[in-house]
Amino acid sequence: MKMAQVLYTMRLTTKGRFAVTAMIDLALCKEQRPVTLSGISQRQQVSLSYLEQLFGKLRQHEIVESVRGPGGGYNLARRADKVTVADIVMAVNEQLDTTRCGGKGACEGANQLNGYCMTHKLWSTLNQKIVEYLDSVSLQNLVDQQHL
């Protein structure tokens, strides 16, 4: 089961955006030897220490694998067409939630009978649709877009 099928809330901030950008960079350079984070840092103008944090989480979720030693760096742990944007964003602990209660049902100004605001179902459904969309876009799709 994919992560997106398990988690329906994620928050897309710069952490998720940088992780996706770095993964596109990595996938574009995959034909070369393992890709260094310093190379990604220079090309994408993202802090090296920030990338180290992100790639630690991506490695834990088996999206990338590290190669130690001279000529080391990172490779994709799976084919690019088997990694989705949702996988990447969720791996770096992002949550996307358009509800006011964080999906917990304790909405401000909520109806006292059920704890949800009048628009809770609307925003909760939007969360699910966003996750479904991000789960439908593979890293390979994004790499292919770079060649257009």
Side-chain angles (χ1 to χ4, degrees), residues 10-92:
M10 38 182 203
R11 185 176 35 133
L12 188 57
T13 63
T14 53
K15 187 189 297 186
R17 293 173 201 273
F18 284 154
V20 171
T21 300
M23 288 297 295
I24 295 169
D25 188 297
L26 176 68
L28 285 167
C29 297
K30 72 179 181 188
E31 300 304 320
Q32 301 169 10
R33 298 195 184 270
V35 179
T36 65
L37 292 185
S38 61
I40 295 173
S41 174
Q42 291 172 352
R43 287 187 297 275
Q44 302 305 323
Q45 300 180 353
V46 177
S47 158
L48 179 59
S49 62
Y50 197 57
L51 286 174
E52 288 169 346
Q53 292 173 27
L54 296 177
F55 273 72
K57 292 178 180 185
L58 292 165
R59 188 175 49 77
Q60 288 174 347
H61 284 88
E62 299 177 348
I63 295 174
V64 298
E65 55 189 12
S66 62
V67 177
R68 298 192 180 269
Y74 285 89
N75 289 318
L76 294 175
R78 298 181 261 175
R79 292 185 356 208
D81 64 341
K82 300 295 182 191
V83 177
T84 69
V85 174
D87 294 334
I88 296 165
V89 171
M90 289 182 191
V92 296

